[in-house]
Amino acid sequence: MEPALDPALEPVAFLLGTWRGEGKGTYPTAQDFSYLEEISFRHIGKPFLIYTQRTTHPVKGFPMHAELGYWRPQEGGRIELVLAHPTGIVEIEEGTIDGTTIEVATTHIGKTTTAKEVSTLERTFTVDGDVLRYEVRMAAVGVPLTSHLTAELKRAE
């Protein structure tokens, strides 16, 4: 039996479920790439969403990236994200919820000693019906803030 939705999650309830689609990546220090993606937003009756993200190669099917974390809506249309990456990066992002658009930017980035240097991440998520689109911008390894990832996913569950 699914728990009742915590009232604090009402501003982000439009995210709940599983989303699948395709994305593209580009960065000045890497070759352009494409990927398949699945994102899931779940709740357990507490005032946060559980976020899981994974990408796979569109032809060969091998894993490419993953993220795990929590989305924590706050009063006044604010939101906090706490995300961990297998690359040794942990990010804290804060921003705003405006209807079905969420804009966040890093306030803190933690990294292991072997992780690549990432200095800034910004994300924009927009949901239009059963379509979720996002853009991730990144400043890393001496490159200033630039577009890194874009994707369009459709609600699968």
Side-chain angles (χ1 to χ4, degrees), residues 54-71:
R54 64 187 175 125
T55 60
T56 56
H57 190 276
V59 175
K60 299 180 180 178
F62 58 79
M64 294 177 68
H65 182 71
E67 299 172 0
L68 303 169
Y70 302 95
W71 292 43

Side-chain angles (χ1 to χ4, degrees), residues 14-83:
F14 63 91
L15 292 170
L16 286 167
T18 300
W19 304 80
R20 291 188 187 106
E22 300 179 18
K24 295 183 188 243
T26 184
Y27 207 68
T29 61
Q31 193 170 39
D32 291 357
F33 58 95
S34 297
Y35 55 90
L36 300 178
E37 181 167 29
E38 180 177 288
I39 293 176
S40 175
F41 293 96
R42 298 180 295 117
H43 79 95
I44 58 170
K46 304 280 185 180
F48 56 83
L49 294 178
I50 300 167
Y51 166 79
T52 58
Q53 180 270 5
R54 64 187 175 125
T55 60
T56 56
H57 190 276
V59 175
K60 299 180 180 178
F62 58 79
M64 294 177 68
H65 182 71
E67 299 172 0
L68 303 169
Y70 302 95
W71 292 43
R72 301 165 20 101
Q74 304 297 312
E75 291 184 18
R78 305 283 305 159
I79 190 163
E80 302 170 348
L81 279 59
V82 180
L83 305 176

